[in-house]
Amino acid sequence: MFENIIKKIESAEKIAIFTHTRPDGDALGSAFGLKSALLEMGKEAVVCLESIFVPTKEYKFISCEKNSGLTKGDCDLWIALDCASVDRLGEFSADFEAFSNTVAIDHHRTHVDFASIDYVDADAPATAEIICLLLKEMGHSMSM
């Protein structure tokens, strides 16, 4: 089901993860859950949040710390999560469109393809569920 995405992840060394502007729980959980799994797999990963992002009180428990110096420009694969269109990436939209090695994973019926590989499951209640299925298919057990 995720063969092409898995190949991209396995061949990448450094992965940038993006989500939509004003991220909600699904967006943040998907992004930081994927980052955690990638780190456990020995990859380098960074979650790229807009410069205006400030976690609201209900999301303070999510580890939204600034990353260890890894930037999107250092990465060889960019993954967008929970974004129905490239404009939902806010300040990262133009850069994402210009980058050549991209994946988009989403659950919105209104999704408009914008990545090298777009995976959409409109029957999934959340992108986080798709991420769990992807990781399971990769043989990764969730640590949280």
Side-chain angles (χ1 to χ4, degrees):
M1 177 162 66
F2 298 105
E3 299 86 14
N4 292 333
I5 295 172
I6 292 170
K7 285 178 190 173
K8 283 199 175 282
I9 290 172
E10 287 176 344
S11 65
E13 293 180 25
K14 299 175 183 177
I15 301 169
I17 303 165
F18 302 83
T19 190
H20 60 76
T21 188
R22 294 184 302 276
D24 56 12
D26 184 28
L28 291 170
S30 297
F32 285 96
L34 179 58
K35 176 187 174 186
S36 176
L38 292 171
L39 293 174
E40 288 176 12
M41 292 176 201
K43 304 289 182 182
E44 290 186 62
V46 59
V47 174
C48 300
L49 298 169
E50 286 190 297
S51 57
I52 61 169
F53 174 76
V54 176
T56 55
K57 65 180 178 179
E58 61 265 76
Y59 303 127
K60 291 260 186 204
F61 71 95
I62 297 174
S63 180
C64 295
E65 79 284 350
K66 293 296 179 191
N67 296 282
S68 62
L70 185 66
T71 68
K72 68 183 190 313
D74 299 323
C75 297
D76 52 349
L77 175 62
W78 290 11
I79 301 175
L81 301 177
D82 201 33
C83 292
S85 61
V86 72
D87 63 301
R88 292 288 289 136
L89 289 169
E91 69 187 55
F92 301 114
S93 296
D95 289 343
F96 198 93
E97 282 186 300
F99 198 75
S100 61
N101 194 25
T102 57
V103 171
I105 301 172
D106 190 23
H107 72 110
H108 295 99
R109 291 190 191 286
T110 57
H111 186 90
V112 177
D113 289 355
F114 61 90
S116 303
I117 296 175
D118 288 81
Y119 181 88
V120 181
D121 181 352
D123 292 325
T127 299
E129 179 176 292
I130 300 169
I131 296 302
C132 287
L133 293 171
L134 167 66
L135 295 174
K136 183 177 179 181
E137 191 166 317
M138 293 180 76
H140 183 78
S141 59
M142 301 300 286
S143 63
M144 298 195 223

